[in-house]
Amino acid sequence: MLKRERLDQIMKMVTEENFISVADLAKSLQVSEMTIRRDLDELSKSGKVIRLHGGAQAISSQDGVERSFQQKRGIHIQEKQEIAKIAASLVHDGDTIYVGPGTTLETMVADLKQENLRIVTNSLPVFKAARENPRNYELILVGGSYRRVSGTFYGALSNNELDAMNYDQAFVGVNGISDAALLTADIEEGQTQSIGLRNSQRRIIVADMYKFNHRDFYQFYNLYDIDELVTNPQVSPDILEYYRQYTSIRTSI
């Protein structure tokens, strides 16, 4: 089999399985694992697959269907819990933080252990998760038009309220990261999140490893303007190296 044919086969198998191991690829294509690793490194550098420890993952393309926050709760649970702990470690006692919508950020606020926090959010699920935290933080839920698919308040009322406040840190999730673009599915929801980021002294994006090289409808912020990106340690070195040209990346506490 020619190299080009082998790469095409690898792409087909990765796409069909979403994740496939080096061992399985080597066995199916009857080549050495070293050859497969080199092939995956080449495909990763060209942005065609996500290189993970022990194998590779397909890069999802925009499918036009936005999952609800209930559906997202059941996806990549371990990876979300991992980065939620990292993000929570960045909060300081006495901080006022803006927390955007997202299932990872629900986990983050539920696990916060700092003292005397003020948490501002326009996400009803995030507010509910923070309310269950036993530390009795000061909570501010920003109102506005309600978007059921994400459980988020947005629009002029939300924007005016968020714009009247200042935050020590902002924690915001994304649907995708492509080059310097931070992407989400809805224009108005993205605009509301951008206000929370803009009014913060420190801006932090919390994104699991599946968000890299993934596009969505609306670019709401630029990665160049972010202070730190929190993601999983399993992200391939090639992807980390590429995105570190835009901002600092944290993969551990």
Side-chain angles (χ1 to χ4, degrees):
M1 182 183 294
L2 297 175
K3 180 181 178 181
R4 181 70 266 165
E5 295 173 333
R6 189 173 68 248
L7 293 177
D8 288 343
Q9 281 296 110
I10 291 173
M11 284 298 303
K12 180 181 178 182
M13 295 172 70
V14 171
T15 301
E16 289 175 350
E17 300 294 331
N18 191 44
F19 174 85
I20 191 165
S21 69
V22 170
D24 287 343
L25 285 169
K27 182 178 179 180
S28 297
L29 299 176
Q30 297 183 333
V31 295
S32 70
E33 292 189 8
M34 183 177 295
T35 296
I36 293 297
R37 289 190 187 94
R38 285 198 296 263
D39 289 343
L40 292 179
D41 288 343
E42 182 176 331
L43 291 170
S44 175
K45 287 178 181 178
S46 61
K48 294 180 179 179
V49 301
I50 298 175
R51 186 73 165 93
L52 302 176
H53 179 70
Q57 176 193 298
I59 294 174
S60 302
S61 59
Q62 181 184 348
D63 58 14
V65 179
E66 183 183 5
R67 293 186 178 97
S68 70
F69 68 88
Q70 295 97 334
Q71 291 171 319
K72 289 179 178 179
R73 283 174 179 161
I75 300 172
H76 308 313
I77 296 171
Q78 183 175 341
E79 291 86 348
K80 291 177 180 179
Q81 291 174 338
E82 185 175 56
I83 61 173
K85 289 180 181 178
I86 299 171
S89 73
L90 302 178
V91 179
H92 306 120
D93 289 347
D95 270 356
T96 294
I97 60 174
Y98 167 72
V99 183
T103 52
T104 302
L105 296 173
E106 291 177 49
T107 302
M108 185 196 94
V109 297
D111 291 342
L112 287 170
K113 296 176 174 61
Q114 291 83 352
E115 300 295 332
N116 302 316
L117 299 181
R118 180 189 291 122
I119 301 173
V120 181
T121 185
N122 58 312
S123 166
L124 185 57
V126 168
F127 173 82
K128 289 180 176 179
R131 186 182 61 190
E132 297 303 314
N133 189 304
R135 281 163 182 77
N136 195 29
Y137 296 134
E138 179 181 347
L139 305 179
I140 298 174
L141 176 62
V142 172
S145 300
Y146 183 65
R147 191 164 180 266
R148 291 185 181 276
V149 69
S150 61
T152 303
F153 294 99
Y154 69 97
L157 290 175
S158 299
N159 296 350
N160 288 338
E161 289 186 46
L162 287 172
D163 203 24
M165 293 180 274
N166 295 301
Y167 318 100
D168 296 300
Q169 301 195 77
F171 295 84
V172 170
V174 297
N175 284 10
I177 306 172
S178 181
D179 297 323
L182 298 174
L183 301 144
T184 192
D186 184 78
I187 292 175
E188 291 189 289
E189 188 173 316
Q191 290 173 340
T192 300
Q193 290 184 90
S194 70
I195 293 172
L197 288 166
R198 188 181 67 216
N199 283 18
S200 296
Q201 293 185 30
R202 184 168 173 78
R203 305 170 179 92
I204 299 166
I205 295 296
V206 184
D208 64 54
M209 61 190 184
Y210 303 102
K211 302 298 173 57
F212 289 99
N213 298 329
H214 178 86
R215 297 194 62 80
D216 211 317
F217 175 60
Y218 179 67
Q219 178 180 346
F220 70 96
Y221 220 73
N222 194 304
L223 194 53
Y224 278 122
D225 298 321
I226 295 301
D227 295 295
E228 194 157 30
L229 169 62
V230 174
T231 192
N232 304 102
Q234 299 92 331
V235 177
S236 77
D238 291 334
I239 289 179
L240 290 177
E241 180 181 3
Y242 179 77
Y243 281 97
R244 277 184 171 129
Q245 70 179 305
Y246 300 112
T247 192
S248 172
I249 299 179
R250 180 183 291 269
T251 59
S252 63
I253 294 175

